Amino acid sequence: DAGITQSPRHKVTETGTPVTLRCHQTENHRYMYWYRQDPGHGLRLIHYSYGVKDTDKGEVSDGYSVSRSKTEDFLLTLESATSSQTSVYFCATKGGSDSNQPQHFGDGTRLSIL
Amino acid sequence: GNSVTQMEGPVTLSEEAFLTINCTYTATGYPSLFWYVQYPGEGLQLLLKATKADDKGSNKGFEATYRKETTSFHLEKGSVQVSDSAVYFCAQGGSEKLVFGKGTKLTVNP
């Protein structure tokens, strides 16, 4: 959807290791988002970006950092992964600040931290 | 703050049954309202939207009407199919962020 590619699609790693997830979009959308999805919690916003080098925190940002050095890429980094960060991570994009515009989602990255 | 409340699932129906998934919201002002659908192993897809009071969004036989007086945006379909089995999310949108409900899992049996 909206030319969004997440990589990797699946990852298994160990507690304490750094992990970086990548989101790449081809639609030149201004806004990009990282969510995590967990049973019983629905979707929770981690961080989002409103332009190159412009980012802000979401509701569950502790333990995560992001970077956006160019319009098409938005990286999510877990500096030192913990088991509580095992989840499915979704990237989303949005064209502009018009509230009528929907967000478009990638297919997700399933991350397991052992 | 802004919030979205969906009926809790799971919901199990037989094919051709009528579907209603309730959604209510709290917001300052008049947000845009969305329904998203998530099929197993996939990301969320926009199902329909409404951007102002009394608007009706529709797609693939699904409908929802933006009711300002009851702050609701209930999803309905007259005759569900097995292929409609998925998780459905209601959301309200501002200029930058969406606020999601927790999702309702629908299973349709043949």
Side-chain angles (χ1 to χ4, degrees), chain B residues 14-94:
Chain B
S14 297
E15 205 163 25
E16 300 184 1
F18 184 86
L19 169 71
T20 300
I21 300 178
N22 290 338
C23 171
T24 58
Y25 67 91
T26 60
T28 52
Y30 303 106
S32 294
L33 300 174
F34 305 89
W35 276 102
Y36 282 85
V37 59
Q38 184 181 30
Y39 299 104
E42 299 184 9
L44 278 69
Q45 302 174 24
L46 179 67
L47 181 59
L48 53 84
K49 71 176 186 180
T51 59
K52 62 183 186 294
D54 300 323
D55 263 3
K56 177 185 283 188
S58 61
N59 186 26
K60 300 182 181 179
F62 291 90
E63 293 183 339
T65 301
Y66 191 141
R67 301 285 188 200
K68 185 177 68 173
E69 62 277 9
T70 56
T71 61
S72 64
F73 192 54
H74 304 322
L75 182 68
E76 296 182 336
K77 187 175 185 182
S79 176
V80 294
Q81 306 300 312
V82 171
S83 57
D84 293 327
S85 298
V87 180
Y88 293 82
F89 292 91
C90 183
Q92 61 164 298

Side-chain angles (χ1 to χ4, degrees), chain A:
Chain A
D1 191 1
I4 300 170
T5 303
Q6 292 187 232
S7 59
R9 292 295 314 280
H10 303 272
K11 186 172 183 67
V12 180
T13 190
E14 295 183 346
T15 300
T17 60
V19 177
T20 295
L21 308 183
R22 180 180 183 239
C23 178
H24 179 79
Q25 56 124 341
T26 59
E27 299 294 316
N28 200 36
H29 282 179
R30 176 183 173 190
Y31 289 86
M32 298 186 75
Y33 306 82
W34 279 108
Y35 293 90
R36 60 179 290 174
Q37 184 177 31
D38 304 287
H41 292 279
L43 281 158
R44 292 182 290 175
L45 182 65
I46 304 171
H47 283 280
Y48 70 103
S49 168
Y50 48 95
V52 174
K53 298 193 190 313
D54 292 323
T55 65
D56 204 351
K57 295 179 180 180
E59 61 181 298
V60 289
S61 58
D62 287 349
Y64 302 94
S65 62
V66 290
S67 66
R68 191 168 179 202
S69 58
K70 46 187 178 177
T71 299
E72 56 266 35
D73 288 328
F74 193 33
L75 304 181
L76 176 71
T77 297
L78 291 64
E79 300 289 350
S80 177
T82 67
S83 58
S84 65
Q85 294 175 310
T86 292
S87 186
V88 181
Y89 291 85
F90 288 98
C91 173
T93 71
K94 182 170 178 282
S97 59
D98 185 345
S99 63
N100 298 341
Q101 293 184 353
Q103 291 182 16
H104 304 273
F105 285 79
D107 286 333
T109 294
R110 185 171 296 275
L111 177 63
S112 297
I113 299 164
L114 307 178

